[in-house]
């Protein structure tokens, strides 16, 4: 596995040269988005930087609010100052940061750090490497290369990023380097049991109620090799679940014996539908989602389709019929 040393050096040079920083990640932030964003903030502080603004369009999901620095993440409306350096991490197009997007190109240098399968990335300086299991792992390598001592606080953020994006080191993106990084993180004294309990092994009552509904609603196609389910806005309202509680539900579909393709269609704002995709290796989820303006990884991807849920579902099923020959 070759690490793009050149890019790492250029990112670090840019960080060292900058003085006013904006850091953001994607909408509907997951553990890697929040963890890697905060990891960059800790690294910058380690480099002696003091003017650092962390911004996300959405609230930090409750399971990540304990992360060191998460309480300082603000919304774009609270941002009034200017920046010389902007950083987008765990995503590669400014759009993915939602309402934060217009702020990114305003900086002298717009840095993109990402591990998704990318055709074309935004940014003046891009470090994109899909061999990393999580953007948080890229932050770890920045730490190593910079010589900045890794604090326990930063390690907690990076470990959260890793354990969420690798499904606790079980998904196919997990590699020997992931485990070496985890070892380095543990050596700072982090309590991995406490972190796991907070971010993996806890289900809110709302999520439990939602899960019960969604499991009862799974539809199967193509000889039960395809499984999909809908989540409506009213499901959240009626179960007390939050948007963030939909994260991970798709694994229950994917884990059913014989299922090769799992999809969740979720009613989103403004008559749009968010589709989540999980596939086995023979079908590239990122390619399918790119056809709908989204993207992601080979086995886990997503898109937001500008159509109501019934229409969006039909579009996606038709695409699968036409392009993958699946009888759904
Ligand atoms: P999700 O289904 O939301 O868990 O997303 C699965 C993967 O696809 C994650 O790595 C996301 O960052 C990525 N992804 C989800 N939605 C989009 C999108 N609209 N555009 C690009 N990547 C996405
Ligand atoms: Mn993410
Ligand atoms: Mn990620």
């Amino acid at each position: 596995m070759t690490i793009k040393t050149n890019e790492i050096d250029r990112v670090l040079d840019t960080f060292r040269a900058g003085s006013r920083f904006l850091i953001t990640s994607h909408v509907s932030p997951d553990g890697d988005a929040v963890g890697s964003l905060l990891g960059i903030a800790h690294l910058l502080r380690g480099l002696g930087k003091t003017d650092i603004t962390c911004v996300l369009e959405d609230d930090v999901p409750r399971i990540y609010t304990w992360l060191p620095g998460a309480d300082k993440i603000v919304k774009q409306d609270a941002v009034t100052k200017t920046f010389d350096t902007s950083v987008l991490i765990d995503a590669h197009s400014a759009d993915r940061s939602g309402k934060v997007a217009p702020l990114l190109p305003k900086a002298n240098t717009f840095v993109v750090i990402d591990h998704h399968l990318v055709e074309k990335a935004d940014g003046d300086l891009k470090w994109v490497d899909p061999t990393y299991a999580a953007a948080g792992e890229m932050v770890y390598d920045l730490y190593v290369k910079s010589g900045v001592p890794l604090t326990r606080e930063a390690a907690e953020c990076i470990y959260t990023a890793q354990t969420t994006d690798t499904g606790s080191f079980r998904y196919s993106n997990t590699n020997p380097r992931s485990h070496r990084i985890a070892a380095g993180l543990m050596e700072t004294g982090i309590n991995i049991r406490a972190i796991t309990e907070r971010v993996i092994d806890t289900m809110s009552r709302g999520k439990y109620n939602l899960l019960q509904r969604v499991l009862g609603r799974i539809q199967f196609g193509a000889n039960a090799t395809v499984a999909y389910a809908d989540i409506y806005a009213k499901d959240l309202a009626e179960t007390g679940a939050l948007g963030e509680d939909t994260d991970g539900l798709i694994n229950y579909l994917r884990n059913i014996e014989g299922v090769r393709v799992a999809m969740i269609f979720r009613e989103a704002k403004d008559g749009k539908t968010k589709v989540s995709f999980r596939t086995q290796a023979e079908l590239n989820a990122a390619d399918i989602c790119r056809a709908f303006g989204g993207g992601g990884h080979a086995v886990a991807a997503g898109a937001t389709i500008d159509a109501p849920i019934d229409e969006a579902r039909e579009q996606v099923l038709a695409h699968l019929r036409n392009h993958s020959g699946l009888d759904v």
Side-chain angles (χ1 to χ4, degrees):
M1 217 181 275
T2 46
I3 295 174
K4 298 182 180 170
T5 324
N6 218 9
E7 271 105 329
I8 302 189
D9 285 336
R10 276 157 59 201
V11 170
L12 285 173
D13 286 346
T14 305
F15 284 180
R16 287 197 187 96
S19 55
R20 286 165 291 121
F21 295 86
L22 173 88
I23 319 169
T24 192
S25 187
H26 59 79
V27 291
S28 305
D30 49 27
D32 190 28
V34 182
S36 65
L37 178 161
L38 293 174
I40 293 287
H42 288 292
L43 173 71
L44 288 171
R45 236 164 269 126
L47 287 167
K49 310 297 169 181
T50 50
D51 192 343
I52 304 162
T53 307
C54 299
V55 200
L56 284 172
E57 176 184 313
D58 296 311
D59 288 342
V60 172
R62 281 182 305 172
I63 54 172
Y64 307 124
T65 52
W66 63 275
L67 281 172
D71 54 327
K72 302 205 184 63
I73 299 177
V74 298
K75 295 279 165 63
Q76 59 283 343
D77 303 337
V79 179
T80 48
K81 43 183 168 181
T82 59
F83 306 93
D84 53 49
T85 312
S86 59
V87 184
L88 172 67
I89 189 157
D90 195 33
H92 54 270
S93 72
D95 295 356
R96 286 280 291 144
S97 68
K99 293 180 182 143
V100 186
L103 299 174
L104 291 168
K106 283 190 182 160
N108 300 338
T109 313
F110 169 19
V111 182
V112 165
I113 302 173
D114 192 26
H115 70 124
H116 289 93
L117 284 175
V118 169
E119 275 180 340
K120 196 182 161 307
D122 287 345
D124 306 311
L125 174 53
K126 315 156 212 264
W127 178 31
V128 178
D129 189 342
T131 68
Y132 284 94
E137 295 186 346
M138 302 173 84
V139 179
Y140 183 87
D141 274 354
L142 283 169
Y143 259 99
V144 172
K145 203 76 208 285
S146 69
V148 172
L150 184 66
T151 58
R152 184 186 164 128
E153 286 73 23
E156 285 177 335
C157 296
I158 296 171
Y159 187 82
T160 295
Q162 259 200 314
T163 196
T164 51
D165 258 26
T166 61
S168 302
F169 304 87
R170 290 172 300 132
Y171 299 159
S172 53
N173 56 357
T174 310
N175 57 57
R177 178 177 56 196
S178 306
H179 287 286
R180 278 188 214 107
I181 291 174
L185 297 171
M186 285 183 78
E187 275 156 7
T188 68
I190 59 169
N191 182 342
I192 63 157
R193 183 60 217 150
I195 296 173
T196 306
E197 228 162 87
R198 285 176 154 152
V199 305
I200 307 282
D201 292 343
T202 303
M203 192 188 303
S204 68
R205 287 297 296 222
K207 183 166 183 169
Y208 159 71
N209 294 333
L210 180 67
L211 177 64
Q212 202 176 32
R213 275 194 190 199
V214 173
L215 290 183
R217 203 183 263 173
I218 300 175
Q219 290 185 273
F220 293 94
N223 293 323
T225 58
V226 177
Y228 54 97
D230 295 340
I231 301 179
Y232 295 89
K234 78 172 172 44
D235 291 322
L236 303 189
E238 289 170 8
T239 59
L242 302 173
E244 65 207 50
D245 291 321
T246 60
D247 228 36
L249 291 189
I250 194 165
N251 292 325
Y252 291 90
L253 280 69
R254 195 203 50 184
N255 290 350
I256 298 167
E257 193 175 20
V259 169
R260 314 291 292 165
V261 180
M263 291 171 282
I264 292 232
F265 299 94
R266 185 180 147 205
E267 195 171 32
K269 284 180 284 191
D270 309 321
K272 296 183 182 179
T273 302
K274 158 94 217 223
V275 55
S276 284
F277 244 91
R278 299 292 182 270
T279 58
Q280 301 294 338
E282 73 270 10
L283 208 64
N284 190 309
D287 284 347
I288 299 169
C289 289
R290 252 189 239 120
F292 293 96
H297 308 282
V299 294
T304 300
I305 301 177
D306 195 3
I309 199 160
D310 286 334
E311 223 175 277
R313 188 189 334 95
E314 196 33 57
Q315 283 178 24
V316 171
L317 294 179
H319 183 92
L320 279 180
R321 274 194 295 274
N322 297 333
H323 293 85
S324 347
L326 287 164
D327 181 23
V328 281

